[in-house]
């Protein structure tokens, strides 16, 4: 990776949508849309509600399935000038494993990110991501068939994210990323109606940053594997805060909607910070909080 | 079409009506990019604590000689209220051009009916201009609640014939656009393009279907990214969920499940 900046799944499409705005060779990597074994229609409209300094979404993993991805999308993105990672979701450990196995055969996809946390699927992601046993069962199944780099993306909607992180580390995850969206809800008081089609959705954007930062800090203290931090990052300073909290890399999500060029700007801003502080290598600020 | 993030400069702000603001902007750094009628821009709203996302607004008018782009905005909430406070000289950050745009006539003999309701008229002005440049003369059918809500009629009249309905009968014929006598007359249109409130567009779509006239509508689903990345703006179509921001905002009615 040319730098520790990646774009978060579900917020950057397949990367090509942003090529007019971002020189992809200047971002470390992109994590493409959540992919499942079978095609998924996703939830009905409306899928989005704006909130104070953030938004709720209940897209519900709309995608055309892993075979469509391999046959039709992969050829169009495999030569993008950055690392392309795939975010994988499922409704059973076997689903995850089969999806991962099919992606393992794609030469230019160096890693996958397992979404064991997407809160939108009524009887899917949530169940695995909220208990250490559930999370471990998915990672175990995928680890058996997926030899490349395996990142596990954690849900913040849990009592102890540290316990889940430890459980997936024990099953052989190569890294963890956090956080996925926080479960929320929005109501239109005038109309007395729910604003999202399925009632609830995942909260993202600057409003979740303090929660994300705290979780990244705690997890980084507790595991040996690299931690990828995300949740509300909108500028280089936000990104630096996550690195200082112990993240080895960061992802940018919702901020891409406000400024489609933000990922590249954050990468530049991190370098400016390093220069300003006379730090030679970004690795030197990872977890480098002073007392 | 290549998309741009631009810092536009406000040249002129007017309030044709207390609920609408007309913004005229220029790009101080060079010529504005090419845009098609029916496309839209995502406007960043600065200075409103409650407005987080950009606001999608249609390209109302665009003049490459003046290097100006216009937006006609109806004030409905905090975001649009904040846009209405812009002053000449202010900067407005936009992402554009987005979406597909209206179908252009195939020949100068095509008889195109452009039906607009309320602020849905906005993109039809630029459509009229583009058609006039091709040598076509569209017919505009414009609906509003009252005479006060009719905007830019003189400008529409430069490009085509203008027919009007108001709900209270204060101007033009009384009623809804689909009740206008133009539609029961002898003129057979090659295509109808419409933009406005959903009930109006649905009525227009029913009329078009009943007369076997090709018809396309411009949808206004809520958006986050505007570039096809987030899948928030989807419309359930005959081909499954499609993004209004990239597959639309203009859809032929036969693709919709209306
Ligand atoms: C492709 C596209 C083109 C558009 N072009 C124009 C245009 O040229 N001029 C113009 O004035 N408006 C246009 N709109 C609608 C405009 O984007 C919304 O009115 C605006 O985002 C409202 O922002 P707000 O913060 O003022 O209101 P909010 O506080 O977000 O909402 C206030 C009220 O308006 C309703 N509302 C919000 N967004 C929409 C929407 N997209 N459609 C219908 N109701 C909505 C809300 O439900 C709420 O009741 C367009 C929308 C789309 C998707
Ligand atoms: C519209 C939208 C779609 C998302 N889709 C996915 C997804 O498919 N898989 C996933 O793991 N996370 C998904 N996420 C979560 C983001 O990747 C990210 O974890 C979250 O938004 C927090 O980061 P942010 O505040 O920077 O956006 C989605 C988020 C949004 C806003
Ligand atoms: S608004 Fe994001 S896909 Fe249309």
């Amino acid at each position: 990776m040319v730098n520790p900046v990646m774009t978060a799944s579900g917020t950057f499409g397949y990367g090509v949508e942003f090529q007019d705005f971002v020189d992809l060779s200047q971002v470390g990597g992109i994590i493409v849309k959540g992919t499942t074994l079978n095609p998924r229609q996703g939830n009905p409209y409306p899928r989005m509600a704006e909130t104070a300094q953030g938004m709720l979404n209940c897209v519900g993993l709309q995608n055309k399935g892993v075979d469509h991805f391999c046959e039709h999308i992969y050829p169009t993105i495999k030569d993008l000038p950055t690392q392309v990672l795939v975010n994988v979701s499922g409704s059973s450990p076997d689903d995850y494993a089969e999806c991962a196995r099919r992606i393992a055969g794609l030469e230019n996809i160096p890693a996958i990110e397992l979404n064991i946390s997407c809160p939108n699927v009524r009887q899917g992601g949530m169940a695995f991501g909220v208990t250490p046993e559930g999370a471990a069962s998915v990672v175990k199944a995928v680890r058996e068939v997926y030899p490349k780099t395996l990142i596990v993306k954690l849900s913040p909607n849990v009592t102890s994210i540290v316990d889940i992180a430890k459980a997936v580390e024990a099953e052989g995850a190569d890294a963890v990323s956090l956080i996925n969206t926080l479960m929320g809800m929005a109501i239109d008081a005038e109309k007395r109606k729910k604003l999202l089609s399925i009632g609830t959705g995942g909260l993202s954007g600057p409003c979740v940053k303090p929660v994300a930062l705290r979780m990244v800090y705690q997890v980084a203290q507790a595991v040996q594997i690299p931690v990828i931090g995300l949740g509300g990052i909108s500028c280089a300073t936000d990104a630096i805060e996550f690195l200082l909290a112990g993240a080895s890399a960061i992802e940018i999500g919702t901020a891409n909607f406000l400024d489609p060029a933000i990922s590249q700007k954050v990468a530049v801003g991190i370098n400016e910070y390093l220069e300003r502080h006379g730090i030679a290598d970004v690795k030197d600020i990872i977890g480098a909080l002073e007392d | 079409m290549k998309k741009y993030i631009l810092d536009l400069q406000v040249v002129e702000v007017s309030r044709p009506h207390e609920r609408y603001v007309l913004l005229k902007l220029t790009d101080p750094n060079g010529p504005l990019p090419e845009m098609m009628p029916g496309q839209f821009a995502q406007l960043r709203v600065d200075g409103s604590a409650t407005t987080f996302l950009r606001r999608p607004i249609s390209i109302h008018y665009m003049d490459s000689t003046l290097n100006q782009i216009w937006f006609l905005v109806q004030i409905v909430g905090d975001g649009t209220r904040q846009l209405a406070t812009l002053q000449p000289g202010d900067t407005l950050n936009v992402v554009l051009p987005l979406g597909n745009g209206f179908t252009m006539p195939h020949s100068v003999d095509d008889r195109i009916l452009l039906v607009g309701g309320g602020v849905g008229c906005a993109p039809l002005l630029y459509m009229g201009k583009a058609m006039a440049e091709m040598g076509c003369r569209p017919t505009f059918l414009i609906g509003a609640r009252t005479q006060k809500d009719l905007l830019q009629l003189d400008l529409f009249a430069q490009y085509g014939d203008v027919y009007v309905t108001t709900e209270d009968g204060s101007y033009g014929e009384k009623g809804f656009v689909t009740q206008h006598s133009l539609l029961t007359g002898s003129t057979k249109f090659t295509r109808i393009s419409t933009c406005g409130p959903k009930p109006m567009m649905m009525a227009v779509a029913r009329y078009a279907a009943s007369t076997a006239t090709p018809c396309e509508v411009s949808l206004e689903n809520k958006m986050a990214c505007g570039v096809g990345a987030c899948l928030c703006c989807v419309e359930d179509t005959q081909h499954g969920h499609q993004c209004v921001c990239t597959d639309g905002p203009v859809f032929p009615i036969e693709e919709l499940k209306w």
Side-chain angles (χ1 to χ4, degrees), chain B residues 175-241:
Chain B
F176 297 114
V177 283
T178 41
Q179 294 165 330
H180 198 282
S181 56
L182 173 70
L183 300 185
T184 48
S186 55
T187 314
K188 174 88 183 124
F189 292 100
T190 319
R191 178 180 294 99
I192 303 175
S193 300
T194 179
C195 184
K198 195 164 173 180
M200 182 209 84
M201 293 198 290
M202 286 177 133
V204 173
R206 277 194 300 275
Y207 165 80
S210 72
T211 56
T213 313
C215 178
E216 58 187 17
V217 303
S218 184
L219 302 184
E220 289 202 349
N221 292 10
K222 289 207 171 172
M223 295 182 177
C225 72
V227 296
C230 72
L231 307 184
C232 286
C233 64
V234 293
E235 177 74 15
D236 190 19
T237 72
Q238 302 294 349
H239 311 293
H241 282 138

Side-chain angles (χ1 to χ4, degrees), chain A residues 8-11 32-35 55 57 59 61 87 89 113-115 117-118 120 153 179-181 202-206 208 230-233 251-255 257, chain B residues 230-232:
Chain A
S9 176
T11 65
V32 303
K33 275 175 194 169
T35 303
M55 60 177 273
N57 88 83
V59 170
L61 294 173
N87 179 275
S89 270
E113 178 182 64
L114 287 188
N115 173 11
S117 50
C118 183
N120 300 324
K153 184 168 180 180
I179 58 172
N180 208 316
T181 53
L203 184 64
S204 63
V208 308
L230 74 152
I233 298 177
E251 296 178 21
I252 297 178
T254 304
F257 306 159
Chain B
C230 72
L231 307 184
C232 286

Side-chain angles (χ1 to χ4, degrees), chain A residues 90-108:
Chain A
S91 45
S92 70
D94 292 347
D95 269 15
Y96 276 97
E98 185 52 27
C99 194
R101 196 184 59 76
R102 294 188 199 179
I103 293 168
L106 306 175
E107 194 183 349
N108 292 2

Side-chain angles (χ1 to χ4, degrees), chain B residues 40-55:
Chain B
F40 65 99
Q42 282 268 68
L43 278 51
R44 196 176 73 201
V45 182
D46 294 326
S48 161
T50 49
T51 307
F52 176 63
L53 296 165
R54 287 174 181 264
R55 293 294 186 259

Side-chain angles (χ1 to χ4, degrees), chain A residues 231-256:
Chain A
I233 298 177
S234 321
C235 61
T237 309
D238 291 344
I240 304 274
E241 291 171 16
F242 276 82
L243 297 172
L244 289 171
S248 304
I250 58 104
E251 296 178 21
I252 297 178
T254 304
N256 291 305

Side-chain angles (χ1 to χ4, degrees), chain A residues 271-281 284-285:
Chain A
N271 282 337
E272 284 169 2
Y273 175 92
L274 296 178
E275 256 171 56
R276 191 153 46 84
H277 288 265
I279 300 164
D281 190 333
D284 296 337
I285 63 164

